[in-house]
Coordinates of all heavy atoms in Angstrom, one line a residue:
K42 N 52.8 46.8 1.3 CA 53.6 48.0 1.4 C 54.9 48.0 0.6 O 55.3 48.9 0.0 CB 53.8 48.4 2.9 CG 52.6 48.8 3.6 CD 52.8 49.2 5.0 CE 51.6 49.4 5.8 NZ 50.6 50.4 5.3
L43 N 55.4 46.8 0.7 CA 56.7 46.6 -0.1 C 56.5 46.6 -1.6 O 57.4 47.1 -2.3 CB 57.4 45.2 0.3 CG 57.7 45.0 1.8 CD1 58.4 43.7 1.9 CD2 58.7 46.1 2.2
A44 N 55.4 46.3 -2.1 CA 55.1 46.4 -3.5 C 55.2 47.7 -4.1 O 55.6 47.9 -5.2 CB 53.7 45.7 -3.8
S45 N 55.0 48.7 -3.2 CA 55.1 50.1 -3.7 C 56.5 50.4 -4.1 O 56.8 51.5 -4.9 CB 54.5 51.1 -2.8 OG 55.4 51.2 -1.6
L46 N 57.5 49.7 -3.6 CA 58.9 50.0 -3.8 C 59.3 49.8 -5.3 O 60.2 50.3 -5.8 CB 59.8 49.2 -2.9 CG 60.0 49.6 -1.5 CD1 60.8 48.7 -0.7 CD2 60.6 51.0 -1.4
S47 N 58.5 49.1 -6.1 CA 58.7 48.8 -7.4 C 58.7 50.1 -8.2 O 59.4 50.2 -9.2 CB 57.7 47.8 -8.0 OG 56.4 48.4 -8.0
Y48 N 58.1 51.1 -7.7 CA 58.0 52.4 -8.5 C 58.4 53.6 -7.6 O 58.7 54.7 -8.1 CB 56.7 52.7 -9.1 CG 55.5 52.7 -8.2 CD1 55.1 53.8 -7.5 CD2 54.8 51.5 -8.0 CE1 54.1 53.7 -6.6 CE2 53.8 51.4 -7.1 CZ 53.4 52.5 -6.4 OH 52.3 52.5 -5.6
T49 N 58.7 53.4 -6.3 CA 59.1 54.5 -5.4 C 60.5 54.4 -4.9 O 61.0 55.3 -4.2 CB 58.1 54.6 -4.3 OG1 58.2 53.5 -3.4 CG2 56.7 54.9 -4.7
A50 N 61.3 53.4 -5.1 CA 62.6 53.2 -4.6 C 63.5 54.3 -4.8 O 64.4 54.7 -4.0 CB 63.1 51.9 -5.1
D51 N 63.4 55.0 -6.0 CA 64.3 56.1 -6.3 C 64.1 57.3 -5.4 O 65.1 58.1 -5.3 CB 64.2 56.5 -7.7 CG 64.7 55.4 -8.7 OD1 65.7 54.7 -8.2 OD2 64.2 55.3 -9.8
I52 N 63.0 57.5 -4.8 CA 62.7 58.7 -4.0 C 63.4 58.6 -2.6 O 63.6 59.7 -2.0 CB 61.3 59.0 -3.8 CG1 60.5 57.9 -2.9 CG2 60.6 59.2 -5.2 CD1 59.2 58.3 -2.5
Y53 N 63.8 57.5 -2.2 CA 64.5 57.3 -0.9 C 65.9 57.6 -1.0 O 66.6 57.2 -1.8 CB 64.2 55.9 -0.3 CG 62.8 55.7 0.0 CD1 62.0 54.9 -0.9 CD2 62.1 56.2 1.1 CE1 60.6 54.7 -0.6 CE2 60.8 56.0 1.5 CZ 60.1 55.3 0.5 OH 58.8 55.0 0.8
Q54 N 66.5 58.4 0.0 CA 67.9 58.7 0.1 C 68.6 57.5 0.7 O 68.0 56.7 1.4 CB 68.1 60.0 1.0 CG 67.3 61.2 0.4 CD 67.8 61.6 -1.0 OE1 69.1 61.6 -1.1 NE2 67.0 62.0 -1.8
F55 N 69.9 57.6 0.6 CA 70.7 56.6 1.2 C 70.6 56.8 2.8 O 70.5 57.9 3.2 CB 72.2 56.6 0.7 CG 72.4 56.2 -0.7 CD1 72.7 57.1 -1.6 CD2 72.1 54.9 -1.1 CE1 72.8 56.8 -3.0 CE2 72.3 54.6 -2.3 CZ 72.6 55.5 -3.3
S56 N 70.6 55.7 3.5 CA 70.3 55.8 4.9 C 71.4 56.4 5.7 O 72.6 56.2 5.3 CB 70.1 54.4 5.5 OG 69.8 54.5 6.8
R57 N 71.1 57.2 6.7 CA 72.0 57.9 7.5 C 72.3 56.9 8.8 O 73.2 57.2 9.6 CB 71.6 59.2 8.1 CG 70.3 59.1 8.9 CD 69.9 60.5 9.2 NE 68.5 60.6 9.7 CZ 68.1 60.3 10.9 NH1 69.1 60.1 11.8 NH2 66.9 60.3 11.3
Y58 N 71.5 55.9 8.9 CA 71.7 54.9 10.1 C 72.9 54.0 9.9 O 72.9 53.3 8.9 CB 70.4 54.2 10.3 CG 69.2 55.0 10.6 CD1 68.2 55.1 9.8 CD2 69.1 55.7 11.8 CE1 67.0 55.9 10.1 CE2 68.1 56.5 12.2 CZ 67.0 56.6 11.3 OH 65.9 57.3 11.6
A59 N 73.7 53.9 10.9 CA 74.8 53.0 11.0 C 74.3 51.5 10.8 O 74.9 50.8 10.3 CB 75.7 53.2 12.2
T60 N 73.3 51.3 11.5 CA 72.6 49.9 11.5 C 72.4 49.5 10.1 O 72.6 48.4 9.7 CB 71.4 49.9 12.4 OG1 71.7 50.5 13.7 CG2 70.8 48.6 12.5
A61 N 71.7 50.4 9.4 CA 71.3 50.0 8.0 C 72.6 49.9 7.1 O 72.7 48.9 6.3 CB 70.4 51.0 7.4
R62 N 73.5 50.7 7.3 CA 74.8 50.7 6.5 C 75.6 49.5 6.7 O 76.4 49.0 5.9 CB 75.6 52.0 6.7 CG 74.9 53.2 6.0 CD 75.8 54.4 5.9 NE 76.6 54.7 7.1 CZ 76.2 55.5 8.1 NH1 75.1 56.2 8.0 NH2 77.0 55.7 9.2
R63 N 75.5 48.9 8.0 CA 76.2 47.7 8.3 C 75.5 46.5 7.4 O 76.2 45.6 7.2 CB 76.2 47.4 9.7 CG 77.2 48.1 10.6 CD 77.4 47.6 11.9 NE 76.2 47.7 12.8 CZ 75.9 48.8 13.6 NH1 76.7 49.9 13.6 NH2 74.8 48.8 14.2
I64 N 74.3 46.6 7.2 CA 73.6 45.6 6.4 C 74.0 45.7 4.9 O 74.3 44.7 4.4 CB 72.0 45.7 6.6 CG1 71.7 45.4 8.1 CG2 71.3 44.8 5.7 CD1 70.4 45.6 8.5
H65 N 74.0 46.8 4.5 CA 74.4 47.1 3.1 C 75.0 48.6 2.9 O 74.3 49.5 3.5 CB 73.3 46.9 2.1 CG 73.8 46.8 0.7 ND1 74.0 47.9 -0.1 CD2 74.0 45.8 -0.1 CE1 74.4 47.5 -1.3 NE2 74.4 46.2 -1.4
P66 N 76.1 48.7 2.3 CA 76.7 50.1 2.3 C 75.8 51.1 1.5 O 75.9 52.3 1.8 CB 78.1 49.9 1.6 CG 78.2 48.5 1.4 CD 77.0 47.7 1.7
L67 N 75.0 50.7 0.6 CA 74.1 51.6 -0.1 C 72.7 51.4 0.3 O 71.7 51.6 -0.5 CB 74.2 51.3 -1.6 CG 75.7 51.6 -2.2 CD1 75.7 51.2 -3.7 CD2 76.1 53.0 -2.0
A68 N 72.5 51.1 1.6 CA 71.1 50.8 2.1 C 70.2 52.1 2.1 O 70.7 53.2 2.3 CB 71.3 50.3 3.5
K69 N 69.0 51.9 1.9 CA 68.0 52.9 2.0 C 67.0 52.4 3.0 O 66.9 51.2 3.2 CB 67.3 53.1 0.7 CG 68.2 53.7 -0.4 CD 67.5 54.0 -1.7 CE 68.4 54.5 -2.7 NZ 67.6 55.0 -3.9
T70 N 66.2 53.2 3.7 CA 65.3 52.7 4.7 C 63.9 53.5 4.6 O 63.9 54.5 4.1 CB 65.8 52.9 6.1 OG1 66.1 54.3 6.3 CG2 67.1 52.2 6.3
F71 N 62.9 52.8 5.0 CA 61.6 53.5 5.3 C 60.9 52.7 6.4 O 61.1 51.5 6.6 CB 60.8 53.7 4.0 CG 60.1 52.5 3.5 CD1 58.8 52.3 3.6 CD2 60.8 51.5 2.7 CE1 58.1 51.2 3.1 CE2 60.2 50.5 2.2 CZ 58.9 50.3 2.5
S72 N 60.0 53.5 7.0 CA 59.3 53.0 8.2 C 57.9 52.4 7.7 O 57.2 53.0 6.8 CB 59.0 54.0 9.2 OG 60.3 54.3 9.8
I73 N 57.5 51.3 8.3 CA 56.2 50.8 8.0 C 55.4 50.4 9.3 O 56.1 50.4 10.4 CB 56.2 49.5 7.1 CG1 57.1 48.5 7.8 CG2 56.8 49.9 5.8 CD1 57.1 47.1 7.1
M74 N 54.2 50.1 9.2 CA 53.4 49.6 10.4 C 53.5 50.6 11.6 O 53.8 50.2 12.6 CB 53.7 48.2 10.7 CG 53.8 47.3 9.6 SD 52.4 47.2 8.5 CE 51.3 46.2 9.5
N75 N 53.0 51.9 11.3 CA 53.0 52.9 12.4 C 54.4 53.1 12.9 O 54.6 53.3 14.2 CB 52.1 52.5 13.5 CG 50.6 52.6 12.9 OD1 50.2 53.4 12.0 ND2 49.8 51.7 13.4

Side-chain angles (χ1 to χ4, degrees):
K42 293 179 185 307
L43 297 180
S45 70
L46 284 174
S47 66
Y48 55 89
T49 62
D51 289 331
I52 67 169
Y53 295 99
Q54 300 295 318
F55 293 112
S56 181
R57 61 183 168 85
Y58 296 114
T60 306
R62 289 193 313 268
R63 279 193 297 272
I64 294 170
H65 193 277
L67 299 176
K69 298 181 177 191
T70 59
F71 76 103
S72 294
I73 58 171
M74 309 310 280
N75 295 324

